[in-house]
Structures are given as structure tokens and as C-alpha cells.
Amino acid sequence: MREDAAEDRRRFLAGVYRESGAQLYRYALMILAHRGDAEDVLQQVFAAALGKAPRREIADPAAYFRTAVRNAAYSLLRQRRTARAAEELLLEPVAGGCSPLEQAALEQALKALPPEQREVVHLHVYEGMTFQEVANATGESINTVSARYRYAVDKMRRLLGPTG
Amino acid sequence: MHDDDVDGLLRKYRPAAPSRAFEESLLQSLDREILGATQPRTWPWAVAAAALLTITIGLHAVSRTPPAQVEPALDARRVQDLADDIGGPHARAMAEFIVRQEQRANAEVEQGRAEDVAREAVNR
């Protein structure tokens, strides 16, 4: 009985990871701008879910785990207080015509943003959410979300100006 | 550069995927955690049983061990006499060994006699 429940949980969590683990990792990576930290956050979230995630209590696993990753990522940032310097790549090309120089400039511009702005950029651009959906996911008002996106794009435009 | 250019540039890339090693490690850790949670926790009982058994055997052994025999002091005069008779560099050690054996033999004889007396007394 107990083994059945545990096996059920394992299958559930493994399924969640297979289905949205990469997406959750990318979300954590864009908030934290550090691959090691993103890995730590995912490990922490899944380990915590093992202890308290009966399948039936999670109606929307994608939303549940996105929120858990978000909370863990910001919690880690609060503990750290200062951002960790990371030379590693945050991005990978998905289209033709990319260049290492362009990618490096874009990465530098993204790393220069506050985590909250990077988060909005990620959810809007890479997860295809509307500002309203981003607001729902983050618990912020739609005005705050759209302002963060605008500030982010403004700053990136300035930073990318010479190379763009 | 315009806002649309920034948006277009962002869409040529995406955040990096997790490494294969990390994914495998995470899935393995899920298996390990689940395995740990489902294993019946017999080991604390086994350890407790082993400890109890050890204590029981130890106490039993201690209770059965006769009290340490107090070795009577060697007869110094007898040792000296023997050492003088033997002579040489190891005479003293040899004399002590011989006297100790003699005293033990005498003690056993004395104990045997005492037991015989006691047995006769009981028989009467």
C-alpha cells in the first residue's frame, strides 16, 4: 500500500520532470542567471515535492511546479543577496544566422537586468504568455508586469545599441 | 535598434537546456528517495536486537567468570635461596617462576583437602 503510493508519486514526479523539467529549469535559469543555482533549485523543488505531493492534491502540476520553482529561486536570491558572477552561457541558438558575438552581447544584456525583469521577459517571450498570464503566474498586477517588460526592453536596446 | 529588434533577437535564442548529467542525476535521486521511503525500516530493529544480544551475552559471561585469583606474594626467602642455588644471570627469574608454580600447587592441594573435609562433614 505504502509502496504503491510511493511508486505512484515517483511515476508522477518523473512524468512531471519529463514533461516540463526542461521548461522549469529554463525558468529558474532566467531568474537566477546561473546554471548551478538553477540546478539546485530544481533539485530542491522535486525533493520537497516527494515529501508532500500526493498526486490528487495537485490539480495543475505545471502551475504548481512553476510557482514552486519561482519561490525557491527568489528565496535563493534573498539568501545570496548578491548575484553570483557566472561566465557560463545562459542561451542557446534556435534559429539560423546566430553569431557568437551577437549571443554574447545578448547574454550580457540579459544578465544586466534585474531578476524580476528577466523573469517577465522569459515568461512573455519564451513561454509565450500574455501579460495577463504573466501577472497571474507571478501574483503581480498587469501594470507592473508590462512596465517590467518595457524597462527590460529599453535597457537591452540601450545595451545592444552598438552591436544591434 | 528598436523594441521589435530586441524582441526578434531574443527569439533567435532560448534559455539553455539542463545538462544530460543533471537530468539523470535528478531522476536517479527521485528513485533513491522513493526507494528509501518504501524500504521497511528493519535496520533499527536489527541494530537494537544485536545490541541487546551483545549486552545479554556480556552480562552472562561476566556473571560466570570466577573472581580473579589474588596471587599470593612469593616467598622471598625461598626465592633467594633457589636463586643462589641456580646461579647465573637469569637465576632470579627462574627462581620466581619455580616458587610461583610451587605455591600454586600447594594452594590447590590445600583447597582439595578443605573440600574433602567439607564433604565428609556433610556426609556425616
Side-chain angles (χ1 to χ4, degrees):
Chain A
M1 194 73 173
R2 189 177 164 196
E3 281 113 11
D4 288 348
E7 177 56 24
D8 188 41
R9 229 173 348 160
R10 190 198 68 78
R11 279 208 204 118
F12 167 61
L13 289 173
V16 167
Y17 187 81
R18 268 192 291 275
E19 199 168 302
S20 41
Q23 189 180 1
L24 292 168
Y25 173 85
R26 288 181 164 117
Y27 182 34
L29 180 61
M30 284 295 272
I31 294 174
L32 295 161
H34 192 280
R35 299 188 74 141
D37 284 351
E39 290 178 357
D40 287 349
V41 159
L42 240 69
Q43 192 92 38
Q44 183 188 332
V45 164
F46 276 83
L50 267 175
K52 59 174 182 185
R55 186 178 187 152
R56 60 190 169 281
E57 289 180 15
I58 301 177
D60 183 353
Y64 174 90
F65 281 92
R66 192 191 308 114
T67 303
V69 163
R70 181 174 197 269
N71 292 342
Y74 280 108
S75 173
L76 188 63
L77 284 176
R78 278 194 298 275
Q79 286 166 23
R80 290 257 159 79
R81 290 174 191 277
T82 52
R84 281 169 56 158
E87 297 302 320
E88 60 209 355
L89 298 177
L90 297 185
L91 302 172
E92 59 190 24
V94 289
C98 299
S99 77
L101 195 64
E102 179 187 69
Q103 181 175 345
L106 183 59
E107 295 219 5
Q108 285 306 312
L110 274 170
K111 286 176 183 172
L113 299 178
E116 295 82 1
Q117 290 181 17
R118 266 201 312 270
E119 179 188 18
V120 171
V121 168
H122 173 77
L123 293 175
H124 182 61
V125 175
Y126 295 119
E127 296 205 18
M129 290 185 180
T130 63
F131 288 146
Q132 184 59 61
E133 286 168 336
V134 175
N136 294 341
T138 59
E140 305 287 355
S141 72
I142 189 168
N143 289 338
T144 301
V145 167
S146 57
R148 281 179 184 169
Y149 185 77
R150 198 169 59 250
Y151 293 143
V153 170
D154 280 349
K155 185 166 186 178
M156 291 179 75
R157 185 163 40 78
R158 283 200 307 278
L159 291 169
L160 291 165
T163 57
Chain B
M1 178 175 268
H2 301 289
D3 289 359
D4 287 349
D5 297 330
V6 174
D7 190 82
L9 184 58
L10 281 167
R11 288 176 198 280
K12 287 170 70 178
Y13 299 86
R14 67 176 179 181
S19 70
R20 190 78 206 142
F22 168 71
E23 291 193 310
E24 283 170 7
S25 151
L26 188 126
L27 289 170
Q28 279 172 5
S29 75
L30 287 181
D31 282 341
R32 269 200 309 275
E33 293 285 336
I34 288 291
L35 213 60
T38 55
Q39 288 292 327
R41 299 187 61 189
T42 52
W43 67 267
W45 296 106
V47 169
L52 193 62
L53 188 64
T54 305
I55 290 168
T56 308
I57 291 171
L59 286 174
H60 189 64
V62 165
S63 69
R64 284 182 61 89
T65 305
Q69 298 283 336
V70 179
E71 195 80 34
L74 294 177
D75 183 343
R77 182 183 293 275
R78 172 86 179 121
V79 168
Q80 188 59 53
D81 290 344
L82 258 177
D84 290 345
D85 290 342
I86 294 167
H90 304 296
R92 177 106 197 146
M94 288 172 71
E96 285 180 352
F97 175 76
I98 292 166
V99 171
R100 187 173 293 113
Q101 296 306 316
E102 282 177 351
Q103 288 184 352
R104 281 179 187 164
N106 291 340
E108 282 176 13
V109 169
E110 286 298 322
Q111 190 179 352
R113 280 187 194 144
E115 286 173 358
D116 289 343
V117 170
R119 204 173 298 118
E120 282 174 15
V122 169
N123 289 341
R124 281 183 205 147

